Every structure is written in C-alpha cells, then in structure tokens.
Amino acid sequence: MRAYGAVNSTVRTERQTETATFWFGSSLTLYTEPLRVAVARSQRSTSAQAALVALFHVAAVDTQIATSDTKYAYLRWRPVTAIRTGAIDPDPGWSPLHITPAHPDYPSGHNTYAGAAETARVYSGIHTRSADEAGLVLGKRVAGHALNNAALLFGVG
C-alpha cells in the first residue's frame, strides 16, 4: 500500500492510477449509473423496476449504516497516519494519491458497495488491504440480508 498508494508512486502503473481515480468517487454515485443501466435493460414491469431501485437503496443505506457503525467501533487509523507516524519505518513526508477522508479506515465503505473497488482503494493510498477485505465481506452480508428480506420490505409473500 505504501508503494502503490503514494502520490509520487514509482511502481503504480498509469492504468492503476486511472483505476484508483475512477473508484475515488462517492460510493453511491458510482453505483447509480450501473443501476440505471440494469433497470433500463430490464424486461420487468415499471413497478418491478421501481422495487429493484428501492431495494438497491435500502441495501445501500443499510450498508452505509453498518459501515459507519463498524468504523467507529474499531477506530482504525488510515494509511497516511500509520506511514507518517507509525513505529515501522515512519515517513513524515508520505502523501497518498488521493485526499484521505476524515473518518476511520476500517472497513472500506466503497468495498461494502462492490468488490470491484477492492484493489482500486489501495492504489489511492487511502485504505489498507484488511479494510478493503472487511468492507467486501460486510457489503455482501448486508446485500444478502436485504435480498432475503425483500418480501417483507415490499409486503409480498
């Protein structure tokens, strides 16, 4: 993470930098377009399409709640803090490729939305691998819960 996520990385490729920049956007904003495309391609009725959009947003909001609760339960520092002030080879001048968000690292919120973001957040220099992995697991669990309880949400049996 230190090598790939640095603002002046010499090991990150141009494609990896593009990937990190693409995935740097807001979690919900990044997934609105794929949702819109999926709904547009769907052969379902308008009400079924609306239910799909609602289910997506229920899962997204539940994911954000679970992510925030977990971040503040563990209070894990961001890579920038660990690298600049940590006990292992501190580097006070190190900076990440992207501006680090002002909340704890663990788990990675973007990865609770989709596994595709897993590697890109390390390239940005703003998450550790363990935060990405935990975010991926949490996102899958929340989405599974939303899907398993969709009938209760929409009042159908």
Side-chain angles (χ1 to χ4, degrees):
M1 200 293 310
R2 181 186 294 239
Y4 282 93
V7 68
N8 57 355
S9 175
T10 58
V11 296
R12 186 183 56 243
T13 66
E14 184 177 331
R15 177 142 179 134
Q16 290 168 330
T17 300
E18 290 171 0
T19 300
T21 299
F22 174 82
W23 287 112
F24 185 66
S26 166
S27 300
L28 187 56
T29 303
L30 287 170
Y31 298 104
T32 300
E33 179 65 16
L35 173 66
R36 190 177 66 74
V37 170
V39 169
R41 290 179 180 170
S42 172
Q43 300 301 314
R44 296 178 177 187
S45 67
T46 303
S47 63
Q49 290 176 349
L52 177 63
V53 171
L55 185 59
F56 169 82
H57 287 289
V58 166
V61 170
D62 285 352
T63 295
Q64 188 58 52
I65 292 167
T67 300
S68 294
D69 285 352
T70 306
K71 282 181 180 292
Y72 288 97
Y74 287 97
L75 294 173
R76 297 256 300 266
W77 60 2
R78 290 281 183 163
V80 66
T81 305
I83 292 171
R84 287 180 180 173
T85 64
I88 301 172
D89 192 24
D91 181 358
W94 188 90
S95 291
L97 173 63
H98 292 114
I99 296 171
T100 300
H103 51 264
D105 175 60
Y106 182 90
S108 166
H110 275 62
N111 288 349
T112 61
Y113 286 92
E118 184 176 349
T119 302
R121 302 297 282 176
V122 171
Y123 292 154
S124 286
I126 59 175
H127 275 302
T128 59
R129 173 63 61 203
S130 62
D132 286 344
E133 291 170 354
L136 181 58
V137 169
L138 179 60
K140 286 182 178 182
R141 287 181 180 167
V142 171
H145 178 79
L147 291 171
N148 290 332
N149 291 287
L152 294 173
L153 178 66
F154 297 111
V156 295

